[in-house]
Each structure stands twice: as C-alpha cells, then as structure tokens.
Amino acid sequence: MSETFDEATTLKRRTFVAASTAVAGLPLLSSDRLPTATAAATPAPADRLSTVRLTVNGEQRNARVDNRTSLLDLLREHLDLPGTKKGCDQGACGACTVLVDDRRVNACLTLAVMHQGARVTTIEGLARGEQLHPLQQAFIDHDGLQCGYCTPGQVMSGVACIAEGHTGSRAEIREWMSGNLCRCGAYTNIVSAIEQTAKEA
C-alpha cells in the first residue's frame, strides 16, 4: 500500500513540476545538463586572475583571485575575515557593509579588483585589543541586537553615519541607516546606540 502511495505521489509531483515549467516556458534540465561540483570547482584561466593588494584593518593583505570575485567573498573566503556577513548578496540588506577609504560600501556589490590599494575596515578592525569600539559597546548597552547576524553591518554603517554627521535627530539616524535591515526588529535600540555614541564622540 505504501509503495503504491509513494509512486502515485512521485508521479503527481513530476506531473506538477513538468506542467509548471511548461506554463512558464522554462525547459526542464536533465541531470546531464546540471552543473557539477567538478565544473564549479574548475579554476579560472590565468588571464581572469588578478592579485589584489589592500590594507585591511591596518594590515597589508594580498590575494590572487578571479576578477569576478566580490569584495565580500575576498574578505570572507580568501582573507579569513568572516565577520562581514553575506545576507542577500544583492545589496538590499546591508549585512555586508564595510568601510572602504572611510566610506561605507556594500561589499557584495563591488568587485575586489576595483579597490586596488584601498584601505578597508571590517568589523574585526574596530576594537583596539580588548577594548571595544564605543559603538560596539553602545550596542551592548542598549541591547541593539537579537540574533546578531546583521549586527556587524549595522555597526559599520553606524560608525560611518556618525563620521558623516548624520546624527542630528533620531529621524535623521533612521534615514541614514535605512539601508541596513534587521529582521529581528531591533531598530529602536540600534538608533539609541548610535545616538549615545554620537553624543559622546
């Protein structure tokens, strides 16, 4: 009985998928047309590689990467700096915010090779030894985080927001932090942390 049910269920699923793709005008991929792990791991040709030299958190760093490598992937995958988070990978959430020559940048939207010789600051570079950056401490004081995934990007964007002088009011802070999303909804506390840090700066 269970075998019959499983076969019927599988048949219905296959029929549904085939019908759905036909309606959408999308061809079904057979297994021999799907990308393989081997193909994905194939190294890029030498003419598509570049050596990127950056100053990251005050330290000279070099990496030879595919020209299509984003700054985010350079930091996370090649320089072992996983503090910068990969959220949407489309520049919509702000989780990957870093400072490039003191300007905030969505690291997922820019290529590493575009920043040859630049100064990059990530969340790992804010603290001074055991002493947290004032905004990091303020996030703790005001409970400006819940799950913590967006926090590195929020902090980096908040540091830039303060440096840019966009902290005249809570409304102004919200406006200039609007590119950073918090799915937990800790916005009120994030604004309070930035407001406190700006006043103490």
Side-chain angles (χ1 to χ4, degrees):
M1 184 69 177
S2 63
E3 290 180 2
T4 304
F5 176 79
D6 289 343
E7 288 174 5
T9 303
T10 303
L11 181 59
K12 287 178 184 175
R13 287 180 184 154
R14 287 180 183 158
T15 304
F16 173 76
V17 171
S20 300
T21 54
V23 169
L26 300 173
L28 280 174
L29 290 178
S30 61
S31 59
D32 61 332
R33 292 178 61 192
L34 292 172
T36 63
T38 305
T42 303
D47 62 351
R48 281 214 321 249
L49 297 174
S50 295
T51 299
V52 179
R53 295 177 175 83
L54 301 168
T55 301
V56 182
N57 300 328
E59 180 183 346
Q60 291 287 331
R61 303 293 299 270
N62 300 334
R64 189 156 176 79
V65 297
D66 188 304
N67 293 333
R68 299 166 296 177
T69 302
S70 68
L71 179 59
L72 174 60
D73 286 338
L74 172 71
L75 294 170
R76 290 180 57 85
E77 309 300 332
H78 297 274
L79 301 184
D80 195 26
L81 293 168
T84 304
K85 301 306 180 191
K86 181 175 282 197
C88 65
D89 218 17
Q90 297 175 350
C93 73
C96 66
T97 304
V98 297
L99 303 182
V100 178
D101 294 329
D102 297 325
R103 295 181 60 190
R104 46 182 152 176
V105 168
N106 287 336
C108 73
L109 288 185
T110 186
L111 298 175
V113 294
M114 295 171 62
H115 301 286
Q116 196 72 256
R119 290 179 294 107
V120 178
T121 305
T122 71
I123 191 69
E124 291 94 342
L126 283 186
R128 294 292 174 260
E130 297 297 315
Q131 183 179 358
L132 294 177
H133 184 279
L135 186 54
Q136 290 175 304
Q137 185 61 54
F139 263 67
I140 295 170
D141 296 343
H142 289 275
D143 198 19
L145 61 151
Q146 288 187 42
C147 80
Y149 195 84
C150 74
T151 305
Q154 297 278 3
V155 170
M156 297 308 297
S157 194
V159 167
C161 184
I162 294 168
E164 294 159 5
H166 298 304
T167 56
S169 67
R170 293 178 68 85
E172 185 179 13
I173 293 171
R174 283 194 294 271
E175 174 68 23
W176 286 89
M177 289 293 294
S178 61
N180 291 77
L181 304 183
C182 173
R183 289 173 175 83
C184 300
Y187 295 113
T188 299
N189 297 349
I190 290 169
V191 171
S192 295
I194 294 170
E195 186 178 43
Q196 172 190 306
T197 307
K199 287 178 180 176
E200 294 175 352

